[in-house]
C-alpha cells in the first residue's frame, strides 16, 4: 500500500480543534461522546447547512485527540487517495476514531466507509454532511440529527447563562413565574426568533446572519437538489418561488391545486418539490389528524422548519414576516424537538391549530398572541392556548441546560 503522509491532515485537525475549544458546546457534543463506545460503529451526523456540525465534530475530536483523526472528505489528499486508503493509513498510524466531515462530497463514500468498518472491527467513524438528502442511515449506521438551536442553547452559547426550562409552558401562571425569574434572558428571545437557531449568528450582526441563512437555503437548493435529486433548472426555480410564496403567506393549509396554479407547474412537480424541501429540512409538512381516505384527501399545512428561514427569505424580498406564521413555526419546532408528533385538525374554519401527541398523551393546542381567546378550545377536553411567553419555554427543549 502506498504510504500517505497524514501530517498535513493532522496539523489541520489540531489547528481547527484549537480554534473551537473556546466555544461553548452544543448538547450534541455530549451525545456524540456518549455514543463513541456503543454500536453501531458508524455514526452519521446530519443537519442543515450552518447548524454547527463541523464545530461539534471538532469539539468531540479535541476530547479524543490522542486516538482520533479529523479530516474533510473534500481535502485534496483525501480526494486523491480516497476515504478507504486514507482511513486505512490512519488505522496503521494508531488512530481508532475517525471524524470525516463533508462526507457527502465524496462520490463513493458509503462503500469505502463500509470497507473500513468491515476490515477494522475496533474502528469507530463519525461522518457528517450538510446535505440531509445524502445521509440516509442504513443497518450498520446510527443517525444523529442536529437541528437549529433551541432557545435554551442559544442563551447558553450567547451569554453562558443556564435556564431550567421544563414543562412550565403548559401552565400560564408557571410561565409568568418563569419569565419573571429569567427576565434578563427572556430579552434575547426576539433575536433568537430572527437568527438564533444558527450558531454563526452569535458572532455577527443580524443582517449578516440573515444573509448567511439565506445563502444556506439557496446553496442547498441549487447544489444539493441538483446533485442528489437531479432537479432541473426549472424545478429549482419552482422551489425558490414556492419558498418565496410561503415566506410571504399567512399560515394555513396550502392547496396543491392553488400552488400548481400560482407556480405554473403541474401538481406532480408540486408534490416532488415539497418532498425535496422537506427532506432538506427547509420546510416542515404537517399532516391532518385523520386516517384512511380523509388523510389521503386532506391538504397538509406547510411551515418553515424553523422561523429563522422565513425571516431570511423575507429580508431578501424586502417583506415583513407574518407574526402568526412565526408563532406557529416556533410552536411546531418546539413540540417536535420535545418529541411530540404534530398534526393539523380537520374541520371548520374555527378549529384549533394542532393536535399533538406523545406516548399516551394528546393535547389540542391553539397558538396566539395576548388577544387570543380560548373560544376554539371549548369543545375539547384537553385544550391549551399557547401565548408568546409560553412559546419561549416550549422552544427551550432541555429540562436542565
Amino acid at each position: 500500500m502506498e504510504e500517505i503522509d497524514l501530517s498535513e491532515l493532522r496539523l489541520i485537525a489540531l489547528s481547527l480543534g484549537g480554534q473551537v475549544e473556546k466555544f461553548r458546546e452544543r448538547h450534541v457534543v455530549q451525545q456524540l461522546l456518549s455514543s463513541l463506545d456503543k454500536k453501531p460503529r458508524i455514526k452519521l451526523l446530519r443537519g442543515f447547512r450552518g447548524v454547527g456540525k463541523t464545530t461539534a465534530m471538532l469539539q468531540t475530536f479535541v476530547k479524543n485527540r490522542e486516538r482520533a483523526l479529523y479530516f474533510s472528505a473534500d481535502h485534496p489528499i483525501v480526494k486523491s487517495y480516497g476515504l478507504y486508503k486514507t482511513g486505512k493509513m490512519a488505522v496503521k498510524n494508531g488512530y481508532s476514531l475517525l471524524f470525516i466531515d463533508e462526507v457527502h462530497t465524496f462520490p463513493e463514500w458509503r462503500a469505502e466507509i463500509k470497507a473500513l468498518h468491515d476490515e477494522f472491527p475496533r474502528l469507530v467513524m463519525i461522518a457528517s454532511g450538510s446535505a440531509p438528502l445524502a445521509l440516509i442511515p442504513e443497518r450498520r449506521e446510527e443517525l444523529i440529527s442536529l437541528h437549529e438551536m433551541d432557545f435554551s442553547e442559544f442563551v447558553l452559547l450567547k451569554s453562558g447563562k443556564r435556564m431550567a426550562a421544563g414543562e412550565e409552558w403548559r401552565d400560564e401562571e408557571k410561565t409568568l413565574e418563569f419569565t419573571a425569574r429569567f427576565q434578563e434572558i427572556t430579552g434575547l428571545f426576539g433575536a433568537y426568533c430572527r437568527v438564533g437557531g444558527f450558531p454563526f449568528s452569535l458572532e455577527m450582526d443580524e443582517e449578516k446572519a440573515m444573509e448567511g441563512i439565506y445563502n444556506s437555503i439557496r446553496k442547498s437548493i441549487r447544489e444539493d437538489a441538483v446533485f442528489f435529486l437531479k432537479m432541473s433548472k426549472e424545478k429549482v426555480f419552482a422551489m425558490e418561488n414556492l419558498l418565496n410564496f410561503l415566506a410571504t403567506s399567512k399560515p394555513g393549509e396550502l392547496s396543491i391545486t392553488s400552488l400548481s396554479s400560482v407556480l405554473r407547474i403541474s401538481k406532480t412537480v408540486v408534490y416532488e418539490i415539497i418532498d425535496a424541501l422537506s427532506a432538506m429540512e427547509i420546510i416542515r409538512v404537517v399532516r391532518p389528524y385523520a386516517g384512511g381516505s380523509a388523510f389521503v384527501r386532506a391538504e397538509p399545512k406547510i411551515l418553515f422548519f424553523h422561523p429563522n428561514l422565513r425571516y431570511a427569505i423575507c429580508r431578501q424580498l424586502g417583506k415583513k414576516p407574518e407574526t402568526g406564521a412565526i408563532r406557529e413555526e416556533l410552536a411546531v419546532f418546539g413540540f417536535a424537538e420535545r418529541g411530540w408528533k404534530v398534526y393539523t385538525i380537520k374541520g371548520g374554519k374555527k378549529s384549533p391549530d394542532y393536535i399533538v401527541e406523545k406516548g399516551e398523551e394528546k393535547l389540542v393546542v391553539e397558538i396566539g398572541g395576548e388577544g387570543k381567546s380560548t373560544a376554539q378550545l371549548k369543545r375539547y377536553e384537553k385544550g391549551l392556548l399557547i401565548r408568546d411567553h409560553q412559546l419561549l419555554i416550549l422552544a427551550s427543549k432541555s429540562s436542565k441546560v
Side-chain angles (χ1 to χ4, degrees):
M1 176 182 175
E2 183 181 354
E3 292 289 320
I4 304 172
D5 185 1
L6 297 179
S7 58
E8 183 178 343
L9 296 179
R10 183 66 175 171
L11 180 62
I12 293 171
L14 293 173
S15 176
L16 292 173
Q19 292 174 31
V20 302
E21 280 188 289
K22 62 183 179 181
F23 299 142
R24 298 184 180 96
E25 297 173 359
R26 289 197 63 182
H27 307 318
V28 72
V29 174
Q30 290 304 314
Q31 186 179 353
L32 288 170
L33 287 168
S34 66
S35 76
L36 295 181
D37 297 322
K38 300 175 184 176
K39 293 183 179 180
R41 293 183 287 111
I42 301 174
K43 327 286 181 179
L44 300 182
L45 180 61
R46 189 176 77 182
F48 187 66
R49 295 176 184 275
V51 296
K53 298 181 298 301
T54 296
T55 299
M57 286 185 74
L58 285 167
Q59 288 172 326
T60 311
F61 157 74
V62 165
K63 295 178 184 295
N64 294 272
R65 70 182 84 194
E66 293 81 8
R67 66 182 181 117
L69 180 66
Y70 164 93
F71 57 86
S72 179
D74 60 3
H75 189 279
I77 290 177
V78 183
K79 290 174 72 174
S80 176
Y81 290 97
L83 289 176
Y84 172 74
K85 287 185 178 180
T86 305
K88 188 168 184 176
M89 184 57 63
V91 174
K92 185 177 179 181
N93 279 266
Y95 299 114
S96 60
L97 177 57
L98 300 182
F99 292 87
I100 307 170
D101 207 358
E102 298 296 324
V103 73
H104 67 283
T105 63
F106 193 87
E108 300 297 327
W109 68 269
R110 180 159 262 135
E112 301 212 8
I113 282 181
K114 177 183 180 297
L116 289 168
H117 173 275
D118 294 344
E119 188 170 340
F120 303 105
R122 298 183 64 184
L123 179 64
V124 176
M125 290 172 282
I126 299 179
S128 82
S130 297
L133 290 168
L135 273 68
I136 308 299
E138 295 185 351
R139 176 178 54 84
R140 58 171 56 83
E141 299 163 349
E142 176 186 0
L143 177 63
I144 299 175
S145 293
L146 184 60
H147 297 150
E148 288 84 348
M149 293 190 292
D150 61 56
F151 181 53
S152 61
E153 279 192 307
F154 173 70
V155 168
L156 178 62
L157 271 63
K158 181 79 172 175
S159 67
K161 296 182 179 179
R162 300 175 183 269
M163 52 185 285
E167 299 296 307
E168 295 91 345
W169 58 271
R170 294 169 176 262
D171 184 278
E172 189 167 8
E173 183 63 26
K174 289 181 180 179
T175 299
L176 294 173
E177 292 174 2
F178 180 93
T179 52
R181 191 165 68 252
F182 293 102
Q183 278 187 326
E184 183 180 354
I185 289 175
T186 57
L188 298 172
F189 193 54
Y192 170 74
C193 294
R194 294 186 291 273
V195 297
F198 290 80
F200 60 73
S201 69
L202 300 167
E203 298 186 315
M204 58 180 65
D205 63 49
E206 285 192 10
E207 289 296 305
K208 289 184 179 178
M210 284 191 195
E211 184 176 349
I213 296 168
Y214 179 78
N215 288 336
S216 291
I217 297 170
R218 188 167 62 172
K219 193 169 184 179
S220 292
I221 293 172
R222 296 187 178 183
E223 293 184 12
D224 298 345
V226 172
F227 184 79
F228 295 108
L229 298 177
K230 311 304 179 187
M231 288 283 188
S232 64
K233 290 182 180 179
E234 290 76 17
K235 289 179 182 178
V236 167
F237 182 69
M239 292 173 83
E240 293 179 339
N241 278 343
L242 186 147
L243 292 180
N244 292 341
F245 180 76
L246 179 63
T248 53
S249 301
K250 293 183 178 181
E253 297 166 3
L254 292 177
S255 163
I256 299 299
T257 301
S258 64
L259 283 174
S260 174
S261 176
V262 169
L263 300 175
R264 297 182 179 181
I265 55 178
S266 70
K267 292 182 183 179
T268 301
V269 174
V270 173
Y271 282 117
E272 185 180 352
I273 64 177
I274 285 175
D275 286 345
L277 289 167
S278 177
M280 289 189 283
E281 298 180 351
I282 295 175
I283 65 171
R284 192 189 303 267
V285 179
V286 185
R287 303 197 178 277
Y289 191 81
S293 60
F295 178 83
V296 173
R297 291 195 307 269
E299 300 284 1
K301 180 178 280 191
I302 302 174
L303 302 170
F304 281 97
F305 196 88
H306 189 280
N308 287 176
L309 304 174
R310 180 182 294 269
Y311 268 105
I313 294 175
C314 282
R315 173 192 172 274
Q316 194 71 18
L317 297 173
K319 303 290 185 180
K320 183 178 180 180
E322 212 276 329
T323 303
I326 297 297
R327 287 190 178 113
E328 290 199 26
E329 284 159 359
L330 278 170
V332 174
F333 175 80
F335 277 120
E337 291 296 292
R338 286 170 173 267
W340 292 79
K341 295 179 180 178
V342 184
Y343 306 92
T344 59
I345 300 175
K346 299 307 297 178
K349 292 184 178 180
K350 297 297 182 181
S351 296
D353 291 317
Y354 301 102
I355 288 178
V356 297
E357 280 188 333
K358 183 160 69 170
E360 298 297 318
E361 188 174 11
K362 181 170 68 176
L363 297 173
V364 177
V365 297
E366 178 74 11
I367 317 298
E370 298 308 311
K372 191 79 171 183
S373 74
T374 58
Q376 289 161 280
L377 298 169
K378 285 184 178 178
R379 60 192 177 96
Y380 296 94
E381 183 180 349
K382 287 193 175 181
L384 179 64
L385 173 61
I386 298 180
R387 294 195 171 98
D388 290 350
H389 44 280
Q390 291 162 277
L391 278 178
L392 180 150
I393 302 172
L394 182 61
S396 305
K397 73 175 180 186
S398 304
S399 56
K400 289 189 178 179
V401 182

